[in-house]
Amino acid sequence: MSLIVQKFGGSSVATPEKILAAARKAIRAKLEGHQVVMVVSAMGDTTDDLIDLANRITDKPPAREMDMLLSTGEQQSCALMAMAITSLGHKAVSLTGAQIGVKTDATFRKARIKSIETARLKKVLDEGNIVIAAGFQGIDDDFNITTLGRGGSDTTAVALAAVLRADACEIYTDVDGIYTTDPRVIPEARRVSRISYDEMLELASLGAGVMHSRSIEFGKKFDTPIHVRSSFTDIPGTMIVAEPERPDMPVSGAAITKDEALITVQAVPDKPGTSLEIFARIAARNISVDMIVQNVGESGKADLSFTVPRNELDTALEAVRDAAKLVGAGTVSANDSVAKVSVVGLGMARQTGVAEKMFRALAAAGINIGMITTSEIKISVLVPRDQSQKALNVVHTAFELDKPPAKPIEAWKPKAHGTDAAAVVARLQGLNMEDLTIDDVSLDASQARVTISGVPDSPGIAAKVFEQVAGAGIFVDMIVQSYPTTESLATLSFTVPQDQLDHSVTVAKKIASDLSCRGVTSSPKIAKLSVSGVGLRTHTGVAIRMFRALSEAGINLDLINTSEVRVNVIVDGNQGEKGMKQLQAAFADVLR
Ligand code: ASP
Ligand code: MG
């Protein structure tokens, strides 16, 4: 018999009427012949209200007691939902996280799911009930109630769908799907019928806050299709699955992040272990770092730029200043008036000219690009915050994200779960469900690097560079531009196939002299070392583990870039094999 998980968020169960409406949706699915598990959030602003209440008693509520308190929000709505279904003449049983057997670790307020028991759920379902599960909660080994972090009911829902091998996991919410960008910011944004897990993970990390990131990680890891749709209409929403709607299109979505600030460390001695020193100190203060860009510097010094949450800038700066002193780096500076604009798409990995198109759109709008970093499926640039809205707009239009697809989209078809269920279970044997899993540690030894130094800080340079490079038929992989520092000059590096190096250098030199840049350097053989997997974002420290492993082997990092699904570093070509061995050893415990 088919099984459907339906999750209703706080706004979808905010009033008795809405609870009854949700109950009818579940009953309808039941009458269509499915077994139904509902997952509910707390009604409306209940969780916020409970937090306020606690804060009126004390400003330091014990975390354990907070979870005891917050879990009651979901317990309320789940009991009410069971009553609603019963009143409409159908059988229902409500269950708390503990009753289901959602086992978590003991990290109160942001616990991770370790395992879920299915026996009780299945028994209650087989007796003909609709099961209503309280979202967002579990118990640790000592039976303490835990919660999964704000927005965690999504994660409960997808996790339940995964362990029950559900045919669908429907997330009912107050928006009708996933858009190419936030429709409140860009009204032309289009709802997509389908988006991939990886794209969604990137977009979620960029603040496109429709779904709890960890729920997407579950989807990807356990191959569970997720359907995000409106609780107030019946129109289909967006499927989050392995493949996007239009795999041939380079970009599926765009986003703007305004709550990050930039830190730049100049003249970092270009030797093993310096990045580690800096990032380990930031991590020790529990601050997450984003958009790391390290560029090859002149005379043995590198520039290191990265962003941190704006509200943690002061603490981060303290940590960085300490580290900079220790490693003998130069000035540490901060910039709080930037914003990050990103485009995301699985399709860009297979196409050329994508970055160029983005840079060209920004140049045409007169917007200066401060920093650039590209990964396989994401390009991010830093622009002045007061121009960021416009930047998002022109980029969204340049990639035709506002236009409906030219040819009709084939409907997504579920594949039978029979075979993958066994494979997935085998793959994750002996693991906790939310453990970090690394799918791949890889070495690409086929590339060379070109670096243009002393690039003037004015609009249009990146566009010109990559236009000419592309025009010369050169295939660019990674692009890294560090934030302009000394005398407003930036450093721009990119990687190309080794056999195109001479050609690339000729082109770069021509551009450098045309645009009065300082000069061009290159490295004929570099090694790109990558670690990819699930949970790279929510398990901080993957990049640090990588830096540590390479630094212990005395391997120097030339370029760094990070994304939600992959961390890449570029090292000297002769160090590739050695680096690869180091990384395989460093990640052996989580490599699947
Ligand atoms: N009620 C919890 C919150 O508001 C969990 C959820 O809604 O997903 O964060
Ligand atoms: Mg909520």
Side-chain angles (χ1 to χ4, degrees):
M1 195 183 211
S2 65
L3 192 154
I4 292 184
V5 174
Q6 296 186 327
K7 183 253 170 179
F8 292 86
S11 55
S12 306
V13 292
T15 62
E17 294 71 32
K18 288 181 174 171
I19 291 179
L20 282 159
R24 286 191 196 96
K25 280 207 196 284
I27 291 170
R28 193 167 67 195
K30 181 93 206 304
L31 293 176
E32 282 166 4
H34 308 288
Q35 290 192 321
V36 182
V37 174
M38 293 177 92
V39 175
V40 290
S41 292
M43 294 171 70
D45 296 330
T46 303
T47 309
D48 291 323
D49 296 344
L50 290 171
I51 293 172
D52 287 347
L53 201 54
N55 288 336
R56 279 163 53 198
I57 305 273
T58 161
D59 50 12
K60 283 196 188 60
R64 180 191 184 279
E65 304 312 330
M66 271 316 265
D67 279 2
M68 187 71 156
L69 178 67
L70 296 188
S71 65
T72 62
E74 270 69 15
Q75 195 171 330
Q76 267 183 18
S77 48
C78 113
L80 292 168
M81 187 65 77
M83 293 177 196
I85 291 173
T86 317
S87 77
L88 295 169
H90 291 264
K91 285 170 69 180
V93 172
S94 65
L95 296 171
T96 65
Q99 287 173 322
I100 295 168
V102 177
K103 289 275 177 57
T104 71
D105 63 21
T107 321
F108 297 112
R109 302 203 70 174
K110 42 175 192 259
R112 287 180 205 272
I113 299 178
K114 296 200 322 195
S115 64
I116 300 179
E117 275 156 40
T118 52
R120 173 149 196 199
L121 277 173
K122 285 197 174 131
K123 179 169 170 284
V124 180
L125 285 169
D126 287 342
E127 288 164 359
N129 294 289
I130 293 177
V131 169
I132 300 118
F136 171 61
Q137 55 181 268
I139 42 164
D140 71 6
D141 288 341
D142 296 323
F143 301 96
N144 296 302
I145 292 178
T146 54
T147 65
L148 307 181
R150 295 307 306 270
S153 299
D154 288 338
T155 293
T156 305
V158 184
L160 282 175
V163 294
L164 293 167
R165 301 314 296 168
D167 298 274
C169 180
E170 301 180 330
I171 305 288
Y172 286 96
T173 176
D174 50 5
V175 296
D176 59 3
I178 309 295
Y179 281 71
T180 49
T181 196
D182 187 342
R184 288 165 304 186
V185 181
I186 311 264
E188 292 78 27
R190 187 178 65 85
R191 182 162 51 84
V192 296
S193 64
R194 196 147 79 220
I195 191 157
S196 70
Y197 298 123
D198 283 355
E199 290 167 332
M200 201 56 215
L201 278 169
E202 297 289 356
L203 289 169
S205 80
L206 296 170
V210 178
M211 295 276 294
H212 199 226
S213 281
R214 282 160 52 194
S215 68
I216 316 291
E217 292 180 351
F218 265 107
K220 179 176 177 186
K221 205 186 247 183
F222 297 93
D223 197 12
T224 306
I226 303 168
H227 185 178
V228 180
R229 58 191 307 184
S230 163
S231 14
F232 313 120
T233 69
D234 276 331
I235 53 168
T238 302
M239 292 300 304
I240 307 175
V241 288
E243 278 284 309
E245 172 181 274
R246 289 188 287 176
D248 55 315
M249 293 291 282
V251 171
S252 299
I256 182 171
T257 315
K258 291 187 177 177
D259 55 1
E260 288 177 18
L262 173 74
I263 296 182
T264 301
V265 192
Q266 274 174 261
V268 181
D270 195 9
K271 58 174 194 241
T274 45
S275 327
L276 174 66
E277 189 62 49
I278 294 172
F279 292 122
R281 275 162 191 270
I282 303 177
R285 286 170 172 78
N286 268 324
I287 298 174
S288 58
V289 172
D290 186 36
M291 214 182 165
I292 301 174
V293 163
Q294 178 186 290
N295 225 322
V296 198
E298 288 155 291
S299 54
K301 307 263 186 189
D303 286 339
L304 181 65
S305 320
F306 50 88
T307 57
V308 296
R310 267 171 95 184
N311 57 5
E312 289 177 311
L313 178 60
D314 290 342
T315 321
L317 271 175
E318 240 168 66
V320 176
R321 292 211 161 101
D322 287 352
K325 224 174 275 154
L326 210 91
V327 301
T331 326
V332 176
S333 53
N335 184 337
D336 192 18
S337 51
V338 289
K340 179 173 73 177
V341 174
S342 310
V343 296
V344 169
L346 274 193
M348 73 173 68
R350 296 182 292 267
Q351 291 189 28
T352 55
V354 184
E356 178 209 324
K357 190 177 225 172
M358 177 170 186
F359 303 156
R360 172 54 56 202
L362 294 168
I367 297 167
N368 191 29
I369 304 174
M371 186 157 116
I372 304 171
T373 167
T374 68
S375 75
E376 283 66 15
I377 64 165
K378 177 172 72 178
I379 304 170
S380 294
V381 299
L382 274 194
V383 299
R385 188 174 296 133
D386 55 7
Q387 288 185 301
S388 56
Q389 202 100 332
K390 185 167 159 208
L392 179 67
N393 214 329
V394 298
V395 167
H396 190 264
T397 313
F399 287 106
E400 300 181 10
L401 293 179
D402 47 346
K403 297 227 174 70
K407 28 179 210 264
I409 301 199
E410 228 180 282
W412 180 83
K413 277 189 225 66
K415 52 178 179 194
H417 268 124
T419 45
D420 1 318
V424 165
V425 171
R427 191 169 88 101
L428 298 166
Q429 202 84 57
L431 271 185
N432 293 327
M433 290 184 85
E434 288 197 71
D435 278 354
L436 169 71
T437 52
I438 298 296
D439 300 323
D440 197 25
V441 175
S442 66
L443 164 66
D444 170 359
S446 69
Q447 300 194 53
R449 169 182 56 79
V450 181
T451 298
I452 310 181
S453 59
V455 179
D457 184 22
S458 54
I461 307 267
K464 279 205 195 86
V465 169
F466 292 103
E467 215 159 62
Q468 297 194 23
V469 168
I474 296 165
F475 187 88
V476 174
D477 176 24
M478 191 160 143
I479 302 173
V480 163
Q481 178 176 289
S482 48
Y483 205 78
T485 46
T486 350
E487 307 132 25
S488 287
L489 297 175
T491 306
L492 177 60
S493 294
F494 54 95
T495 65
V496 298
Q498 271 152 22
D499 58 4
Q500 291 193 315
L501 177 65
D502 291 344
H503 196 171
S504 308
V505 170
T506 313
V507 174
K509 282 197 170 139
K510 163 122 195 358
I511 297 167
S513 86
D514 288 354
L515 301 175
S516 24
C517 306
R518 199 148 52 215
V520 174
T521 57
S522 64
S523 166
K525 190 169 182 295
I526 55 166
K528 177 177 173 184
L529 292 163
S530 314
V531 170
S532 58
V534 187
L536 264 56
R537 170 183 172 76
T538 48
H539 294 263
T540 50
V542 172
I544 290 181
R545 207 196 282 201
M546 228 173 142
F547 299 162
R548 177 165 292 127
L550 296 172
S551 137
E552 277 165 8
I555 299 174
N556 191 29
L557 311 180
D558 275 356
L559 307 176
I560 300 172
N561 82 34
T562 59
S563 74
E564 299 315 296
V565 292
R566 195 172 172 117
V567 181
N568 294 316
V569 299
I570 302 281
V571 304
D572 184 88
N574 299 320
Q575 305 267 32
E577 295 289 343
K578 186 170 158 199
M580 176 75 174
K581 289 214 180 73
Q582 284 292 116
L583 293 182
Q584 276 164 339
F587 288 97
D589 60 325
V590 281
L591 188 62
R592 296 290 135 184

